[in-house]
Amino acid sequence: MEFQHISVLLNETIEGLNIKPDGIYVDGTAGGAGHSTQVAMRLDAQKGGRLIAIDKDPDAIQTATERLSPYPAAQVVRGDFKDIPQILDSLGIDKVDGIMLDLGVSSRQLDTAERGFSYHYDSKLDMRMSQHGLSAYDVVNTYSKEDLIRILRDYGEEKFAPRIAAAIVQARQEHPIQTTFELVDLIKQALPAAAKRGKGHPAKQTFQAIRIEVNHELDYLKECIDGSFERLNSGGRFCIITFHSLEDRIVKQMFASYTVGCTCPPEFPVCVCGKKPRAKLVCRKPIEPSQQEVEQNNRSRSAKLRVLERL
């Protein structure tokens, strides 16, 4: 199956990166190489321009390698975006001029039934972006009721988390919950009738929560921002596309923390802390897709792009 993924906020991200032909850039979520290709096209390898395209999904690595092969400035590396500093060290790169992340699950991952990401296809519970390690099956069948409630509340913002967790624990006492549709049926049975008539699929928040837990998405995002910001040159840009409020809140708060200067009490006549802003927000508010883009790609509807520039 060909890796199909429509790049969200493509032009806005490329503009946000402010690409220089001789610059060094990192795409921490290469996926189908949509953003990476546009970056690579603008680089001059003879002048030192480089693109490091990273992904932990082996399917994405294969696709990105094929699609970026015409561009001498591009190099594809299998790894996690949280490890960007270590990957740069291994390549002998100290500082870069731009880093981008397109978070969340790709269209290819959602539409490949056997990957177990989607509640629209019946398949084995999986949801592993890296295709190894902890799976959705493990979470659903081994986590305690209390831990299930915690992840459904914290990562899915699911207000019926206790009811869904209780239904899962009760059902797995008879036999393991094997498939996505088995889990969907349990969720539907656990929800009150009014909730099932609400906007969106009744399993959406639960599937989101389990996927985030399986892939450590929020913890790894914080780790990535912390470590990768230090590798930006002065004037370097950090562009991150998020798809739900939990991710966006982390990016917003962490980006804002780099823009804070003096923290002395207001009554101090002069600054004694010596703290200065380390970055500036390129846009005060997140960039969202146009109505035309949403009509062409409904999955872009919730996307938000935030851009930070290191001082």
Side-chain angles (χ1 to χ4, degrees):
M1 180 179 177
E2 187 179 359
F3 200 116
Q4 295 290 345
H5 180 66
I6 302 173
S7 299
V8 174
L9 292 166
L10 177 59
N11 295 331
E12 293 85 351
T13 303
I14 298 303
E15 182 179 348
L17 284 170
N18 193 28
I19 298 169
K20 302 179 294 184
D22 60 348
I24 301 176
Y25 298 87
V26 175
D27 183 348
T29 50
H35 290 99
S36 283
T37 299
Q38 291 300 315
V39 174
M41 289 171 57
R42 291 164 170 79
L43 298 178
D44 188 335
Q46 293 183 336
K47 293 182 179 180
R50 293 183 71 178
L51 166 68
I52 313 303
I54 302 167
D55 208 290
K56 60 183 177 182
D57 186 331
D59 292 343
I61 288 295
Q62 180 180 349
T63 298
T65 299
E66 293 171 356
R67 293 180 180 175
L68 292 172
S69 61
Y71 305 101
Q75 179 176 359
V76 180
V77 177
R78 185 175 180 184
D80 196 294
F81 59 62
K82 73 178 176 63
D83 297 322
I84 285 174
Q86 291 80 7
I87 291 170
L88 293 177
D89 286 343
S90 71
L91 298 173
I93 298 172
D94 182 25
K95 300 286 186 178
V96 301
D97 299 291
I99 300 169
M100 72 143 295
L101 303 176
D102 179 2
L103 301 176
V105 63
S106 73
S107 298
R108 160 64 184 253
Q109 290 165 334
L110 282 171
D111 294 336
T112 304
E114 58 267 27
R115 297 296 298 273
F117 282 102
S118 178
Y119 38 75
H120 291 302
Y121 306 110
D122 193 19
S123 68
K124 292 176 66 175
L125 282 168
D126 193 330
M127 303 192 196
R128 297 173 296 175
M129 292 183 181
S130 64
Q131 299 189 31
H132 72 266
L134 180 79
S135 71
Y137 175 90
D138 299 322
V139 172
V140 169
N141 287 288
T142 68
Y143 274 34
S144 68
K145 179 180 176 181
E146 292 72 25
D147 282 339
L148 288 171
I149 292 172
R150 173 184 55 81
I151 68 168
L152 294 182
R153 279 180 171 166
D154 293 352
Y155 298 158
E157 299 177 299
E158 174 58 75
K159 63 181 179 180
F160 297 107
R163 297 177 64 148
I164 295 171
I168 290 171
V169 171
Q170 181 178 354
R172 75 191 190 193
Q173 290 175 354
E174 298 181 14
H175 59 80
I177 301 164
Q178 302 271 5
T179 70
T180 53
F181 276 9
E182 283 182 67
L183 181 56
V184 168
D185 287 343
L186 283 173
I187 295 166
K188 288 179 177 178
Q189 291 168 22
L191 294 177
K196 287 183 279 190
R197 292 194 297 269
K199 184 179 179 181
H201 194 285
K204 180 178 180 179
Q205 289 162 282
T206 296
F207 270 61
Q208 172 184 296
I210 295 171
R211 191 199 78 221
I212 289 173
E213 174 70 11
V214 166
N215 297 288
H216 309 286
E217 293 175 34
L218 301 185
D219 290 337
Y220 286 1
L221 174 59
K222 294 174 186 176
E223 188 175 341
C224 172
I225 296 173
D226 255 344
S228 299
F229 176 80
E230 301 300 333
R231 307 306 289 261
L232 285 171
N233 280 317
S234 176
R237 299 279 185 88
F238 208 150
C239 298
I240 303 183
I241 301 170
T242 63
F243 288 88
H244 57 75
S245 60
L246 299 173
E247 293 172 338
D248 185 58
R249 191 177 306 131
I250 290 171
V251 176
K252 178 182 179 180
Q253 292 174 349
M254 294 190 72
F255 275 12
S257 71
Y258 295 118
T259 69
V260 176
C262 174
T263 55
C264 292
E267 60 268 22
F268 279 28
V270 294
C271 173
V272 296
C273 72
K275 186 176 181 181
K276 296 181 179 180
R278 304 177 65 199
K280 67 177 183 180
L281 297 174
V282 175
C283 303
R284 301 298 301 181
K285 293 184 178 181
I287 300 168
E288 300 183 5
S290 65
Q291 185 60 38
Q292 180 181 5
E293 178 171 2
V294 172
E295 290 172 356
Q296 293 174 346
N297 177 19
N298 186 58
R299 286 176 178 165
S300 71
R301 184 177 301 278
S302 62
K304 292 183 178 180
L305 167 66
R306 294 187 185 271
V307 184
L308 186 75
E309 180 178 310
R310 181 159 189 174
L311 298 176

